[in-house]
Amino acid sequence: MNDSLKNLKERDWTETRAHSSWQIFKIMAEFVDGFESLAKIGPCISIFGSARTKPGNRYYDLAQDIAKRLAEEGFGIITGGGPGVMEAANKGAQAAHGKSVGANITLPHEQNPNGFIDPDKRLNFDYFFVRKVMFTKYSQGFVMMPGGFGTMDEFFEVATLIQTKKMEETPMVLVGREYWSGLLEWIRTVMMEKESNINPQDLGLLKLFDTADEVVEYFRVFYTTNKLRPNF
């Protein structure tokens, strides 16, 4: 590497380090704003799923029904704040006059908050990792509707936190046997039985349902014997 190119790269890296130091304060501000906002809301359920699911799709309707029923049980509903399944869940929460929370992420697309979030419960984040902490700290349960890479990221993040006991054991529900069964079969046969990368009790953390009745009843029974509290 010639000296001029080397000096240029060193200068660029020095500027990057300086930017990173100031970035810490923005990250801290997102954590503080999120904690202060969500701590006031009370027990919530986080509902995850695809931003691409359209109104009229069976999973859109099911997410709306699940959210409505859980809100009627007294839970607030937290979503990623966008369209699709997130919109459906916020819509269901508002239909039940429940608390409807949106943790929106700034993206080049799919970034606009849906219209069913309570105005005082609309949170905006630049950082995915901060946003995921907000989903997990105050949620008393997780509902995984069918989704893409983002939903899978949240699915495995939550499963890892529960498996490693970094947070309290919290209900984790997958909705849609047709959608999730292939993944769960691979986890069982390859990840667990063939490679021994997880234990049978780890797979037992996941519950698979098809209907709103099953989901709501599971949460109802779980919280007859378990306390409502922040996860960490």
Side-chain angles (χ1 to χ4, degrees):
M1 183 183 299
N2 62 50
D3 288 343
S4 61
L5 182 57
K6 181 179 180 181
N7 291 336
L8 177 63
K9 288 184 176 296
E10 288 178 350
R11 186 185 70 200
D12 289 345
W13 189 251
T14 299
E15 291 174 354
T16 299
R17 289 174 58 195
H19 173 73
S20 296
S21 297
W22 283 106
Q23 197 173 27
I24 291 171
F25 294 102
K26 188 174 190 317
I27 294 168
M28 289 173 60
E30 287 199 358
F31 274 119
V32 171
D33 290 345
F35 285 156
E36 288 186 346
S37 298
L38 290 171
K40 301 172 185 175
I41 294 172
C44 292
I45 304 291
S46 284
I47 298 180
F48 302 104
S50 177
R52 304 183 188 197
T53 304
K54 304 299 183 185
N57 179 286
R58 58 176 169 154
Y59 292 122
Y60 184 103
D61 295 340
L62 186 53
Q64 183 177 337
D65 190 24
I66 290 170
K68 181 176 183 293
R69 297 275 300 279
L70 289 172
E72 289 170 346
E73 292 290 324
F75 292 103
I77 301 298
I78 301 176
T79 79
V85 165
M86 296 173 280
E87 175 187 284
N90 288 127
K91 187 176 182 179
Q94 282 201 345
H97 306 290
K99 298 171 182 175
S100 181
V101 186
N104 192 54
I105 187 77
T106 301
L107 296 172
H109 57 88
E110 298 174 351
Q111 68 198 51
N112 296 322
N114 67 68
F116 299 97
I117 304 167
D118 297 342
D120 62 333
K121 299 178 182 65
R122 184 177 297 165
L123 309 176
N124 292 292
F125 298 95
D126 280 329
Y127 301 100
F128 270 112
F129 62 90
V130 178
R131 181 179 182 237
K132 285 196 287 187
V133 171
M134 300 307 147
F135 281 138
T136 55
K137 181 173 176 63
Y138 296 104
S139 290
Q140 304 303 291
F142 304 92
V143 176
M144 304 289 178
M145 302 297 297
F149 286 167
T151 302
M152 295 300 165
D153 177 44
E154 290 145 351
F155 163 71
F156 283 109
E157 174 87 9
V158 172
T160 300
L161 289 171
I162 298 173
Q163 178 206 42
T164 57
K165 302 188 186 305
K166 283 296 184 180
M167 70 181 191
E168 300 291 334
E169 184 172 342
T170 308
M172 186 173 177
V173 170
L174 310 181
V175 178
R177 281 183 172 85
E178 182 181 351
Y179 189 85
W180 293 103
S181 290
L183 175 62
L184 293 181
E185 179 66 10
W186 178 84
I187 290 173
R188 183 182 67 80
T189 59
V190 179
M191 188 183 288
M192 185 179 74
E193 294 176 355
K194 182 180 180 181
E195 301 294 343
S196 300
N197 287 329
I198 62 170
N199 297 319
Q201 58 265 36
D202 298 330
L203 190 57
L205 299 172
L206 311 174
K207 306 300 179 184
L208 181 60
F209 299 126
D210 276 321
T211 68
D213 286 342
E214 292 173 304
V215 173
V216 174
E217 182 62 18
Y218 176 61
F219 281 109
R220 185 185 293 121
V221 170
F222 185 91
Y223 282 111
T224 59
T225 56
N226 291 275
K227 294 181 179 179
L228 295 165
R229 57 190 173 187
N231 291 310
F232 47 83

PDB file of all heavy atoms in Angstrom, residues 109-141:
ATOM      1  N   HIS A 109     -37.633   1.753   3.365  1.00  0.00           N
ATOM      2  CA  HIS A 109     -38.998   1.421   2.936  1.00  0.00           C
ATOM      3  C   HIS A 109     -39.710   0.815   4.144  1.00  0.00           C
ATOM      4  O   HIS A 109     -39.089   0.470   5.145  1.00  0.00           O
ATOM      5  CB  HIS A 109     -38.987   0.417   1.775  1.00  0.00           C
ATOM      6  CG  HIS A 109     -38.252  -0.862   2.086  1.00  0.00           C
ATOM      7  ND1 HIS A 109     -38.870  -1.941   2.669  1.00  0.00           N
ATOM      8  CD2 HIS A 109     -36.957  -1.209   1.924  1.00  0.00           C
ATOM      9  CE1 HIS A 109     -37.990  -2.910   2.845  1.00  0.00           C
ATOM     10  NE2 HIS A 109     -36.815  -2.492   2.398  1.00  0.00           N
ATOM     11  N   GLU A 110     -41.034   0.712   4.089  1.00  0.00           N
ATOM     12  CA  GLU A 110     -41.853   0.139   5.159  1.00  0.00           C
ATOM     13  C   GLU A 110     -41.608   0.857   6.483  1.00  0.00           C
ATOM     14  O   GLU A 110     -41.662   0.259   7.551  1.00  0.00           O
ATOM     15  CB  GLU A 110     -41.555  -1.360   5.317  1.00  0.00           C
ATOM     16  CG  GLU A 110     -41.881  -2.183   4.090  1.00  0.00           C
ATOM     17  CD  GLU A 110     -41.434  -3.629   4.220  1.00  0.00           C
ATOM     18  OE1 GLU A 110     -40.721  -3.937   5.183  1.00  0.00           O
ATOM     19  OE2 GLU A 110     -41.794  -4.432   3.367  1.00  0.00           O
ATOM     20  N   GLN A 111     -41.380   2.169   6.435  1.00  0.00           N
ATOM     21  CA  GLN A 111     -40.947   2.843   7.639  1.00  0.00           C
ATOM     22  C   GLN A 111     -42.028   3.709   8.290  1.00  0.00           C
ATOM     23  O   GLN A 111     -41.864   4.156   9.415  1.00  0.00           O
ATOM     24  CB  GLN A 111     -39.746   3.743   7.323  1.00  0.00           C
ATOM     25  CG  GLN A 111     -40.107   4.932   6.418  1.00  0.00           C
ATOM     26  CD  GLN A 111     -38.897   5.550   5.762  1.00  0.00           C
ATOM     27  OE1 GLN A 111     -38.092   4.870   5.157  1.00  0.00           O
ATOM     28  NE2 GLN A 111     -38.773   6.841   5.874  1.00  0.00           N
ATOM     29  N   ASN A 112     -43.123   3.954   7.578  1.00  0.00           N
ATOM     30  CA  ASN A 112     -44.132   4.862   8.119  1.00  0.00           C
ATOM     31  C   ASN A 112     -45.006   4.164   9.149  1.00  0.00           C
ATOM     32  O   ASN A 112     -45.495   3.062   8.912  1.00  0.00           O
ATOM     33  CB  ASN A 112     -45.016   5.400   6.991  1.00  0.00           C
ATOM     34  CG  ASN A 112     -44.227   6.247   6.013  1.00  0.00           C
ATOM     35  OD1 ASN A 112     -43.344   7.004   6.411  1.00  0.00           O
ATOM     36  ND2 ASN A 112     -44.513   6.098   4.729  1.00  0.00           N
ATOM     37  N   PRO A 113     -45.225   4.791  10.308  1.00  0.00           N
ATOM     38  CA  PRO A 113     -46.080   4.179  11.322  1.00  0.00           C
ATOM     39  C   PRO A 113     -47.497   4.005  10.789  1.00  0.00           C
ATOM     40  O   PRO A 113     -47.997   4.830  10.019  1.00  0.00           O
ATOM     41  CB  PRO A 113     -46.051   5.197  12.466  1.00  0.00           C
ATOM     42  CG  PRO A 113     -44.842   6.038  12.235  1.00  0.00           C
ATOM     43  CD  PRO A 113     -44.655   6.074  10.750  1.00  0.00           C
ATOM     44  N   ASN A 114     -48.136   2.912  11.196  1.00  0.00           N
ATOM     45  CA  ASN A 114     -49.523   2.714  10.787  1.00  0.00           C
ATOM     46  C   ASN A 114     -50.444   3.650  11.583  1.00  0.00           C
ATOM     47  O   ASN A 114     -50.031   4.254  12.580  1.00  0.00           O
ATOM     48  CB  ASN A 114     -49.929   1.243  10.932  1.00  0.00           C
ATOM     49  CG  ASN A 114     -49.977   0.775  12.375  1.00  0.00           C
ATOM     50  OD1 ASN A 114     -50.826   1.207  13.158  1.00  0.00           O
ATOM     51  ND2 ASN A 114     -49.067  -0.122  12.739  1.00  0.00           N
ATOM     52  N   GLY A 115     -51.678   3.749  11.143  1.00  0.00           N
ATOM     53  CA  GLY A 115     -52.603   4.717  11.737  1.00  0.00           C
ATOM     54  C   GLY A 115     -53.351   4.228  12.951  1.00  0.00           C
ATOM     55  O   GLY A 115     -54.301   4.887  13.398  1.00  0.00           O
ATOM     56  N   PHE A 116     -52.952   3.080  13.528  1.00  0.00           N
ATOM     57  CA  PHE A 116     -53.699   2.508  14.649  1.00  0.00           C
ATOM     58  C   PHE A 116     -52.880   2.471  15.940  1.00  0.00           C
ATOM     59  O   PHE A 116     -53.194   1.731  16.868  1.00  0.00           O
ATOM     60  CB  PHE A 116     -54.178   1.093  14.284  1.00  0.00           C
ATOM     61  CG  PHE A 116     -55.096   1.088  13.086  1.00  0.00           C
ATOM     62  CD1 PHE A 116     -54.597   0.801  11.821  1.00  0.00           C
ATOM     63  CD2 PHE A 116     -56.435   1.394  13.218  1.00  0.00           C
ATOM     64  CE1 PHE A 116     -55.427   0.809  10.707  1.00  0.00           C
ATOM     65  CE2 PHE A 116     -57.278   1.398  12.108  1.00  0.00           C
ATOM     66  CZ  PHE A 116     -56.775   1.108  10.855  1.00  0.00           C
ATOM     67  N   ILE A 117     -51.846   3.282  15.984  1.00  0.00           N
ATOM     68  CA  ILE A 117     -51.018   3.407  17.187  1.00  0.00           C
ATOM     69  C   ILE A 117     -51.519   4.601  17.998  1.00  0.00           C
ATOM     70  O   ILE A 117     -51.805   5.659  17.444  1.00  0.00           O
ATOM     71  CB  ILE A 117     -49.539   3.626  16.816  1.00  0.00           C
ATOM     72  CG1 ILE A 117     -49.042   2.500  15.902  1.00  0.00           C
ATOM     73  CG2 ILE A 117     -48.669   3.730  18.056  1.00  0.00           C
ATOM     74  CD1 ILE A 117     -47.717   2.795  15.237  1.00  0.00           C
ATOM     75  N   ASP A 118     -51.620   4.438  19.314  1.00  0.00           N
ATOM     76  CA  ASP A 118     -52.001   5.576  20.153  1.00  0.00           C
ATOM     77  C   ASP A 118     -50.966   6.689  19.988  1.00  0.00           C
ATOM     78  O   ASP A 118     -49.754   6.415  20.024  1.00  0.00           O
ATOM     79  CB  ASP A 118     -52.069   5.160  21.621  1.00  0.00           C
ATOM     80  CG  ASP A 118     -53.139   4.106  21.882  1.00  0.00           C
ATOM     81  OD1 ASP A 118     -54.035   3.947  21.033  1.00  0.00           O
ATOM     82  OD2 ASP A 118     -53.072   3.449  22.944  1.00  0.00           O
ATOM     83  N   PRO A 119     -51.409   7.928  19.799  1.00  0.00           N
ATOM     84  CA  PRO A 119     -50.458   9.019  19.543  1.00  0.00           C
ATOM     85  C   PRO A 119     -49.366   9.146  20.605  1.00  0.00           C
ATOM     86  O   PRO A 119     -48.218   9.497  20.277  1.00  0.00           O
ATOM     87  CB  PRO A 119     -51.359  10.260  19.508  1.00  0.00           C
ATOM     88  CG  PRO A 119     -52.694   9.744  19.085  1.00  0.00           C
ATOM     89  CD  PRO A 119     -52.814   8.377  19.718  1.00  0.00           C
ATOM     90  N   ASP A 120     -49.695   8.857  21.862  1.00  0.00           N
ATOM     91  CA  ASP A 120     -48.699   8.997  22.928  1.00  0.00           C
ATOM     92  C   ASP A 120     -47.862   7.731  23.110  1.00  0.00           C
ATOM     93  O   ASP A 120     -47.033   7.669  24.021  1.00  0.00           O
ATOM     94  CB  ASP A 120     -49.381   9.357  24.248  1.00  0.00           C
ATOM     95  CG  ASP A 120     -50.355   8.280  24.720  1.00  0.00           C
ATOM     96  OD1 ASP A 120     -50.897   7.545  23.868  1.00  0.00           O
ATOM     97  OD2 ASP A 120     -50.570   8.173  25.943  1.00  0.00           O
ATOM     98  N   LYS A 121     -48.069   6.738  22.267  1.00  0.00           N
ATOM     99  CA  LYS A 121     -47.333   5.469  22.384  1.00  0.00           C
ATOM    100  C   LYS A 121     -46.620   5.133  21.072  1.00  0.00           C
ATOM    101  O   LYS A 121     -46.368   3.965  20.782  1.00  0.00           O
ATOM    102  CB  LYS A 121     -48.282   4.341  22.795  1.00  0.00           C
ATOM    103  CG  LYS A 121     -48.953   4.574  24.146  1.00  0.00           C
ATOM    104  CD  LYS A 121     -49.925   3.466  24.501  1.00  0.00           C
ATOM    105  CE  LYS A 121     -50.610   3.747  25.818  1.00  0.00           C
ATOM    106  NZ  LYS A 121     -51.484   4.942  25.772  1.00  0.00           N
ATOM    107  N   ARG A 122     -46.293   6.135  20.326  1.00  0.00           N
ATOM    108  CA  ARG A 122     -45.576   5.964  19.062  1.00  0.00           C
ATOM    109  C   ARG A 122     -44.097   6.250  19.299  1.00  0.00           C
ATOM    110  O   ARG A 122     -43.702   7.381  19.566  1.00  0.00           O
ATOM    111  CB  ARG A 122     -46.143   6.905  18.004  1.00  0.00           C
ATOM    112  CG  ARG A 122     -45.523   6.745  16.625  1.00  0.00           C
ATOM    113  CD  ARG A 122     -46.190   7.663  15.626  1.00  0.00           C
ATOM    114  NE  ARG A 122     -47.598   7.326  15.454  1.00  0.00           N
ATOM    115  CZ  ARG A 122     -48.487   8.118  14.871  1.00  0.00           C
ATOM    116  NH1 ARG A 122     -48.122   9.312  14.413  1.00  0.00           N
ATOM    117  NH2 ARG A 122     -49.744   7.735  14.739  1.00  0.00           N
ATOM    118  N   LEU A 123     -43.274   5.213  19.222  1.00  0.00           N
ATOM    119  CA  LEU A 123     -41.845   5.329  19.466  1.00  0.00           C
ATOM    120  C   LEU A 123     -41.100   5.142  18.144  1.00  0.00           C
ATOM    121  O   LEU A 123     -41.507   4.347  17.301  1.00  0.00           O
ATOM    122  CB  LEU A 123     -41.384   4.261  20.457  1.00  0.00           C
ATOM    123  CG  LEU A 123     -42.188   4.160  21.763  1.00  0.00           C
ATOM    124  CD1 LEU A 123     -41.674   2.996  22.599  1.00  0.00           C
ATOM    125  CD2 LEU A 123     -42.108   5.456  22.547  1.00  0.00           C
ATOM    126  N   ASN A 124     -40.003   5.867  17.989  1.00  0.00           N
ATOM    127  CA  ASN A 124     -39.219   5.778  16.758  1.00  0.00           C
ATOM    128  C   ASN A 124     -37.762   5.476  17.091  1.00  0.00           C
ATOM    129  O   ASN A 124     -37.186   6.081  17.999  1.00  0.00           O
ATOM    130  CB  ASN A 124     -39.307   7.088  15.967  1.00  0.00           C
ATOM    131  CG  ASN A 124     -40.696   7.312  15.406  1.00  0.00           C
ATOM    132  OD1 ASN A 124     -41.147   6.603  14.519  1.00  0.00           O
ATOM    133  ND2 ASN A 124     -41.396   8.308  15.932  1.00  0.00           N
ATOM    134  N   PHE A 125     -37.197   4.530  16.351  1.00  0.00           N
ATOM    135  CA  PHE A 125     -35.828   4.089  16.607  1.00  0.00           C
ATOM    136  C   PHE A 125     -35.016   4.091  15.317  1.00  0.00           C
ATOM    137  O   PHE A 125     -35.547   3.839  14.233  1.00  0.00           O
ATOM    138  CB  PHE A 125     -35.822   2.668  17.196  1.00  0.00           C
ATOM    139  CG  PHE A 125     -36.526   2.567  18.519  1.00  0.00           C
ATOM    140  CD1 PHE A 125     -37.858   2.180  18.585  1.00  0.00           C
ATOM    141  CD2 PHE A 125     -35.875   2.874  19.693  1.00  0.00           C
ATOM    142  CE1 PHE A 125     -38.526   2.095  19.791  1.00  0.00           C
ATOM    143  CE2 PHE A 125     -36.531   2.794  20.917  1.00  0.00           C
ATOM    144  CZ  PHE A 125     -37.857   2.398  20.956  1.00  0.00           C
ATOM    145  N   ASP A 126     -33.727   4.364  15.463  1.00  0.00           N
ATOM    146  CA  ASP A 126     -32.786   4.219  14.362  1.00  0.00           C
ATOM    147  C   ASP A 126     -32.056   2.884  14.435  1.00  0.00           C
ATOM    148  O   ASP A 126     -31.544   2.393  13.435  1.00  0.00           O
ATOM    149  CB  ASP A 126     -31.745   5.342  14.370  1.00  0.00           C
ATOM    150  CG  ASP A 126     -32.278   6.630  13.761  1.00  0.00           C
ATOM    151  OD1 ASP A 126     -33.124   6.544  12.851  1.00  0.00           O
ATOM    152  OD2 ASP A 126     -31.862   7.721  14.197  1.00  0.00           O
ATOM    153  N   TYR A 127     -31.991   2.298  15.628  1.00  0.00           N
ATOM    154  CA  TYR A 127     -31.161   1.121  15.857  1.00  0.00           C
ATOM    155  C   TYR A 127     -32.030  -0.097  16.168  1.00  0.00           C
ATOM    156  O   TYR A 127     -32.819  -0.096  17.111  1.00  0.00           O
ATOM    157  CB  TYR A 127     -30.185   1.367  17.010  1.00  0.00           C
ATOM    158  CG  TYR A 127     -29.278   2.545  16.759  1.00  0.00           C
ATOM    159  CD1 TYR A 127     -29.538   3.787  17.340  1.00  0.00           C
ATOM    160  CD2 TYR A 127     -28.168   2.422  15.921  1.00  0.00           C
ATOM    161  CE1 TYR A 127     -28.716   4.877  17.094  1.00  0.00           C
ATOM    162  CE2 TYR A 127     -27.342   3.507  15.674  1.00  0.00           C
ATOM    163  CZ  TYR A 127     -27.620   4.732  16.258  1.00  0.00           C
ATOM    164  OH  TYR A 127     -26.807   5.807  16.013  1.00  0.00           O
ATOM    165  N   PHE A 128     -31.839  -1.148  15.382  1.00  0.00           N
ATOM    166  CA  PHE A 128     -32.593  -2.375  15.594  1.00  0.00           C
ATOM    167  C   PHE A 128     -32.346  -2.956  16.981  1.00  0.00           C
ATOM    168  O   PHE A 128     -33.257  -3.467  17.625  1.00  0.00           O
ATOM    169  CB  PHE A 128     -32.210  -3.426  14.542  1.00  0.00           C
ATOM    170  CG  PHE A 128     -33.056  -3.383  13.296  1.00  0.00           C
ATOM    171  CD1 PHE A 128     -32.502  -2.984  12.085  1.00  0.00           C
ATOM    172  CD2 PHE A 128     -34.388  -3.751  13.324  1.00  0.00           C
ATOM    173  CE1 PHE A 128     -33.271  -2.958  10.927  1.00  0.00           C
ATOM    174  CE2 PHE A 128     -35.164  -3.728  12.166  1.00  0.00           C
ATOM    175  CZ  PHE A 128     -34.602  -3.320  10.972  1.00  0.00           C
ATOM    176  N   PHE A 129     -31.099  -2.913  17.449  1.00  0.00           N
ATOM    177  CA  PHE A 129     -30.795  -3.563  18.723  1.00  0.00           C
ATOM    178  C   PHE A 129     -31.468  -2.850  19.897  1.00  0.00           C
ATOM    179  O   PHE A 129     -31.885  -3.496  20.860  1.00  0.00           O
ATOM    180  CB  PHE A 129     -29.280  -3.693  18.935  1.00  0.00           C
ATOM    181  CG  PHE A 129     -28.527  -2.392  19.005  1.00  0.00           C
ATOM    182  CD1 PHE A 129     -28.339  -1.741  20.213  1.00  0.00           C
ATOM    183  CD2 PHE A 129     -27.991  -1.833  17.857  1.00  0.00           C
ATOM    184  CE1 PHE A 129     -27.628  -0.552  20.284  1.00  0.00           C
ATOM    185  CE2 PHE A 129     -27.280  -0.644  17.914  1.00  0.00           C
ATOM    186  CZ  PHE A 129     -27.107   0.008  19.129  1.00  0.00           C
ATOM    187  N   VAL A 130     -31.598  -1.531  19.833  1.00  0.00           N
ATOM    188  CA  VAL A 130     -32.320  -0.807  20.884  1.00  0.00           C
ATOM    189  C   VAL A 130     -33.804  -1.175  20.836  1.00  0.00           C
ATOM    190  O   VAL A 130     -34.431  -1.454  21.864  1.00  0.00           O
ATOM    191  CB  VAL A 130     -32.147   0.719  20.720  1.00  0.00           C
ATOM    192  CG1 VAL A 130     -32.944   1.466  21.786  1.00  0.00           C
ATOM    193  CG2 VAL A 130     -30.677   1.114  20.788  1.00  0.00           C
ATOM    194  N   ARG A 131     -34.331  -1.191  19.645  1.00  0.00           N
ATOM    195  CA  ARG A 131     -35.749  -1.522  19.463  1.00  0.00           C
ATOM    196  C   ARG A 131     -36.064  -2.922  19.999  1.00  0.00           C
ATOM    197  O   ARG A 131     -37.095  -3.141  20.637  1.00  0.00           O
ATOM    198  CB  ARG A 131     -36.065  -1.432  17.977  1.00  0.00           C
ATOM    199  CG  ARG A 131     -37.503  -1.712  17.564  1.00  0.00           C
ATOM    200  CD  ARG A 131     -37.560  -1.534  16.071  1.00  0.00           C
ATOM    201  NE  ARG A 131     -38.849  -1.718  15.457  1.00  0.00           N
ATOM    202  CZ  ARG A 131     -39.096  -2.592  14.483  1.00  0.00           C
ATOM    203  NH1 ARG A 131     -38.121  -3.386  14.055  1.00  0.00           N
ATOM    204  NH2 ARG A 131     -40.281  -2.689  13.929  1.00  0.00           N
ATOM    205  N   LYS A 132     -35.159  -3.885  19.784  1.00  0.00           N
ATOM    206  CA  LYS A 132     -35.414  -5.245  20.258  1.00  0.00           C
ATOM    207  C   LYS A 132     -35.392  -5.318  21.781  1.00  0.00           C
ATOM    208  O   LYS A 132     -36.139  -6.109  22.375  1.00  0.00           O
ATOM    209  CB  LYS A 132     -34.407  -6.221  19.653  1.00  0.00           C
ATOM    210  CG  LYS A 132     -34.700  -6.522  18.190  1.00  0.00           C
ATOM    211  CD  LYS A 132     -33.968  -7.758  17.692  1.00  0.00           C
ATOM    212  CE  LYS A 132     -32.505  -7.505  17.512  1.00  0.00           C
ATOM    213  NZ  LYS A 132     -31.807  -8.648  16.882  1.00  0.00           N
ATOM    214  N   VAL A 133     -34.583  -4.515  22.419  1.00  0.00           N
ATOM    215  CA  VAL A 133     -34.611  -4.458  23.881  1.00  0.00           C
ATOM    216  C   VAL A 133     -35.972  -3.966  24.359  1.00  0.00           C
ATOM    217  O   VAL A 133     -36.536  -4.487  25.330  1.00  0.00           O
ATOM    218  CB  VAL A 133     -33.479  -3.563  24.427  1.00  0.00           C
ATOM    219  CG1 VAL A 133     -33.656  -3.323  25.924  1.00  0.00           C
ATOM    220  CG2 VAL A 133     -32.119  -4.196  24.163  1.00  0.00           C
ATOM    221  N   MET A 134     -36.522  -2.979  23.667  1.00  0.00           N
ATOM    222  CA  MET A 134     -37.833  -2.453  24.057  1.00  0.00           C
ATOM    223  C   MET A 134     -38.937  -3.498  23.886  1.00  0.00           C
ATOM    224  O   MET A 134     -39.849  -3.596  24.698  1.00  0.00           O
ATOM    225  CB  MET A 134     -38.173  -1.202  23.236  1.00  0.00           C
ATOM    226  CG  MET A 134     -37.187  -0.071  23.397  1.00  0.00           C
ATOM    227  SD  MET A 134     -36.909   0.351  25.131  1.00  0.00           S
ATOM    228  CE  MET A 134     -35.187   0.834  25.065  1.00  0.00           C
ATOM    229  N   PHE A 135     -38.848  -4.280  22.822  1.00  0.00           N
ATOM    230  CA  PHE A 135     -39.817  -5.355  22.630  1.00  0.00           C
ATOM    231  C   PHE A 135     -39.777  -6.351  23.788  1.00  0.00           C
ATOM    232  O   PHE A 135     -40.799  -6.881  24.197  1.00  0.00           O
ATOM    233  CB  PHE A 135     -39.501  -6.130  21.342  1.00  0.00           C
ATOM    234  CG  PHE A 135     -39.947  -5.451  20.073  1.00  0.00           C
ATOM    235  CD1 PHE A 135     -39.128  -5.454  18.961  1.00  0.00           C
ATOM    236  CD2 PHE A 135     -41.181  -4.831  19.978  1.00  0.00           C
ATOM    237  CE1 PHE A 135     -39.527  -4.858  17.772  1.00  0.00           C
ATOM    238  CE2 PHE A 135     -41.593  -4.221  18.796  1.00  0.00           C
ATOM    239  CZ  PHE A 135     -40.761  -4.236  17.699  1.00  0.00           C
ATOM    240  N   THR A 136     -38.575  -6.656  24.274  1.00  0.00           N
ATOM    241  CA  THR A 136     -38.420  -7.770  25.197  1.00  0.00           C
ATOM    242  C   THR A 136     -38.499  -7.396  26.673  1.00  0.00           C
ATOM    243  O   THR A 136     -38.949  -8.198  27.483  1.00  0.00           O
ATOM    244  CB  THR A 136     -37.086  -8.495  24.941  1.00  0.00           C
ATOM    245  OG1 THR A 136     -36.003  -7.556  25.007  1.00  0.00           O
ATOM    246  CG2 THR A 136     -37.082  -9.140  23.566  1.00  0.00           C
ATOM    247  N   LYS A 137     -38.080  -6.199  27.046  1.00  0.00           N
ATOM    248  CA  LYS A 137     -38.006  -5.861  28.475  1.00  0.00           C
ATOM    249  C   LYS A 137     -39.371  -5.857  29.145  1.00  0.00           C
ATOM    250  O   LYS A 137     -39.541  -6.386  30.252  1.00  0.00           O
ATOM    251  CB  LYS A 137     -37.329  -4.499  28.664  1.00  0.00           C
ATOM    252  CG  LYS A 137     -37.199  -4.101  30.152  1.00  0.00           C
ATOM    253  CD  LYS A 137     -36.386  -2.853  30.318  1.00  0.00           C
ATOM    254  CE  LYS A 137     -36.324  -2.397  31.768  1.00  0.00           C
ATOM    255  NZ  LYS A 137     -35.663  -3.389  32.647  1.00  0.00           N
ATOM    256  N   TYR A 138     -40.365  -5.272  28.509  1.00  0.00           N
ATOM    257  CA  TYR A 138     -41.658  -5.079  29.169  1.00  0.00           C
ATOM    258  C   TYR A 138     -42.743  -6.035  28.684  1.00  0.00           C
ATOM    259  O   TYR A 138     -43.861  -6.014  29.191  1.00  0.00           O
ATOM    260  CB  TYR A 138     -42.118  -3.632  28.989  1.00  0.00           C
ATOM    261  CG  TYR A 138     -41.202  -2.642  29.669  1.00  0.00           C
ATOM    262  CD1 TYR A 138     -40.305  -1.874  28.942  1.00  0.00           C
ATOM    263  CD2 TYR A 138     -41.203  -2.509  31.055  1.00  0.00           C
ATOM    264  CE1 TYR A 138     -39.443  -0.989  29.569  1.00  0.00           C
ATOM    265  CE2 TYR A 138     -40.340  -1.631  31.698  1.00  0.00           C
ATOM    266  CZ  TYR A 138     -39.462  -0.873  30.942  1.00  0.00           C
ATOM    267  OH  TYR A 138     -38.603  -0.004  31.569  1.00  0.00           O
ATOM    268  N   SER A 139     -42.446  -6.873  27.714  1.00  0.00           N
ATOM    269  CA  SER A 139     -43.470  -7.771  27.178  1.00  0.00           C
ATOM    270  C   SER A 139     -43.675  -8.967  28.088  1.00  0.00           C
ATOM    271  O   SER A 139     -42.715  -9.602  28.539  1.00  0.00           O
ATOM    272  CB  SER A 139     -43.074  -8.255  25.784  1.00  0.00           C
ATOM    273  OG  SER A 139     -43.147  -7.196  24.861  1.00  0.00           O
ATOM    274  N   GLN A 140     -44.934  -9.300  28.309  1.00  0.00           N
ATOM    275  CA  GLN A 140     -45.288 -10.462  29.117  1.00  0.00           C
ATOM    276  C   GLN A 140     -45.593 -11.678  28.252  1.00  0.00           C
ATOM    277  O   GLN A 140     -46.073 -12.700  28.752  1.00  0.00           O
ATOM    278  CB  GLN A 140     -46.496 -10.121  29.993  1.00  0.00           C
ATOM    279  CG  GLN A 140     -46.279  -8.907  30.880  1.00  0.00           C
ATOM    280  CD  GLN A 140     -45.057  -9.058  31.784  1.00  0.00           C
ATOM    281  OE1 GLN A 140     -45.071  -9.875  32.707  1.00  0.00           O
ATOM    282  NE2 GLN A 140     -44.005  -8.305  31.523  1.00  0.00           N
ATOM    283  N   GLY A 141     -45.326 -11.566  26.977  1.00  0.00           N
ATOM    284  CA  GLY A 141     -45.520 -12.670  26.063  1.00  0.00           C
ATOM    285  C   GLY A 141     -45.209 -12.232  24.655  1.00  0.00           C
ATOM    286  O   GLY A 141     -45.173 -11.030  24.349  1.00  0.00           O
TER     287      GLY A 141
END
